[in-house]
Amino acid sequence: MTRNLITGGTGLVGIYLARQLLADAEEVVLLARRAELPLGAADLVGRVTLAEGDVGEWVHVVEAVRRYRVDCIYHAAAVLSTPCEASAAAGFRTNVGGTLNILEAARLLEVSRVIFVGSGTTYGLANIPRHVTDDTPHRPENMYGTTKLCAEMLGVQYHRQYGLDFRGVRYAMIVGPGRRITHNFGDWSGIIERPAQGQPYIVHSDPESPCAYIYVKDVARSLVDLGRAEDSRLRRRMYNVHGFAASLREVTDALRRQLPDARITFERDHSEPMRVANRSLRYEMDCTSAAEDFGCATRYPLDAMVADFITEVRAARGP
């Protein structure tokens, strides 16, 4: 039985990844700054091991890897866009320094594999191409994208220099129950989660702007599939994975097919930061390599995602 360590283990990706690994009869250790499960993850009580630690602290990382004798590390811990812009130093410490700590601990303690949760922001924001392939040049335009690109390049270097089995996936807009609902990017989850809770929701993004969506359950499945793929099948260390493209207007239509009485109001924010945020999501990732190399497939297109999202919210599940 494989024992997996998930960094950022109590966040959205960490919780759903833990559920997927447990469903596949694997052991899970969640590493987080606070060793407690969020309210929506009561189903994990007694089924996962909680480890308190900060990936930015070398001692915390090496102690967790040594103590729990993990076979595989899923590295999902990160400081996201807004906090990165507020403090470049804090973003670098966690996103770059934390990744270096994970890679070095894996090398020294002979962890078989490190799976990295990357980001499509490495390709840019306002100037990102409409169609992105695995070979599209990276041109990050904010601190978050810069640190995520640096982190993935560190992983590639550890593979090149030490033979560490590093693998990773870049995603665009990950959505799911419990995702933090912020002004610039929160609409993509909030438009489903709030009505599913019986609450109204005000959309501030451009309702006609398409977004590169992926549901958190597809994220979890793709990470596990990549982690289990034979190394001989992999042609690269980092892969793009895309769910589907949809505008908020299309999401609203899909939502109302499930919840006809959903109360959604559009009050578009025309500010420059919001325009940049909307432009930064208007791309599609070519997933050919991921499909061919480790069988990646979208199991939750728009209507299936909305239906399952509502079910999860009403079951009070999430991070």
Side-chain angles (χ1 to χ4, degrees):
M1 181 182 295
T2 302
R3 179 172 292 174
N4 305 276
L5 176 72
I6 304 175
T7 72
T10 57
L12 176 64
V13 172
I15 292 297
Y16 276 91
L17 177 56
R19 289 177 177 139
Q20 182 64 64
L21 291 167
L22 290 169
D24 295 341
E26 297 195 14
E27 294 184 12
V28 176
V29 178
L30 302 181
L31 179 65
R33 289 188 176 184
R34 297 179 62 185
E36 58 183 48
L37 289 169
L39 293 177
D43 58 301
L44 299 183
V45 173
R47 301 173 65 209
V48 299
T49 300
L50 290 164
E52 189 164 289
D54 179 351
V55 294
E57 293 287 345
W58 164 249
V59 173
H60 293 182
V61 172
V62 74
E63 172 60 22
V65 175
R66 178 186 290 118
R67 178 179 180 183
Y68 296 105
R69 300 179 182 180
V70 299
D71 305 297
C72 178
I73 299 173
Y74 288 89
H75 182 33
V79 173
L80 300 179
S81 296
T82 301
C84 268
E85 292 303 295
S87 174
F92 185 90
R93 176 184 177 277
T94 296
N95 297 357
V96 181
T99 300
L100 183 62
N101 288 340
I102 291 294
L103 295 169
E104 186 67 1
R107 179 182 75 86
L108 291 174
L109 299 174
E110 299 182 336
V111 175
S112 63
R113 195 159 292 165
V114 174
I115 316 299
F116 176 66
V117 179
S119 171
T121 57
T122 61
Y123 292 113
L125 294 172
N127 299 309
I128 192 168
R130 292 298 296 270
H131 184 75
V132 172
T133 73
D134 292 300
D135 297 315
T136 296
H138 297 277
R139 296 188 176 92
E141 298 174 53
N142 65 4
M143 188 61 186
Y144 178 64
T146 299
T147 59
K148 294 298 278 187
L149 179 58
C150 186
E152 68 174 64
M153 294 307 296
L154 280 171
V156 172
Q157 179 60 32
Y158 264 70
H159 173 73
R160 181 188 300 120
Q161 186 169 350
Y162 302 113
L164 179 67
D165 190 349
F166 171 86
R167 312 166 176 201
V169 183
R170 300 182 199 97
Y171 303 103
M173 177 58 71
I174 301 173
V175 298
R179 187 189 191 278
R180 188 161 167 251
I181 300 176
T182 60
H183 182 74
N184 283 354
F185 295 108
D187 286 342
W188 310 96
S189 265
I191 196 172
I192 304 171
E193 183 160 348
R194 293 293 187 261
Q197 295 169 333
Q199 301 177 28
Y201 190 75
I202 299 174
V203 175
H204 296 292
S205 298
D206 178 0
E208 311 304 335
S209 181
C211 172
Y213 259 110
I214 187 165
Y215 189 42
V216 66
K217 289 188 178 181
D218 273 333
V219 170
R221 184 73 259 174
S222 65
L223 289 168
V224 172
D225 287 344
L226 175 59
R228 292 180 182 160
E230 291 295 329
D231 193 59
S232 60
R233 294 177 54 192
L234 304 182
R235 291 172 289 176
R236 57 183 70 245
R237 292 295 107 192
M238 291 293 303
Y239 290 86
N240 291 336
V241 168
H242 177 76
F244 58 91
S247 69
L248 286 168
R249 188 78 68 186
E250 291 170 318
V251 176
T252 300
D253 292 342
L255 178 67
R256 285 182 170 147
R257 286 193 284 273
Q258 302 286 331
L259 302 175
D261 297 327
R263 292 171 291 164
I264 299 171
T265 305
F266 293 91
E267 295 182 7
R268 185 177 172 185
D269 178 350
H270 291 273
S271 68
E272 183 59 22
M274 183 61 86
R275 283 197 291 269
V276 170
N278 289 161
R279 287 199 301 271
S280 73
L281 299 170
R282 297 178 63 180
Y283 63 95
E284 291 192 29
M285 286 179 165
D286 186 321
C287 302
T288 303
S289 295
E292 293 176 349
D293 290 11
F294 59 96
C296 184
T298 300
R299 295 168 173 82
Y300 292 91
L302 178 57
D303 283 283
M305 179 201 76
V306 170
D308 192 79
F309 199 136
I310 292 169
T311 299
E312 290 284 292
V313 169
R314 292 184 166 177
R317 279 164 51 103

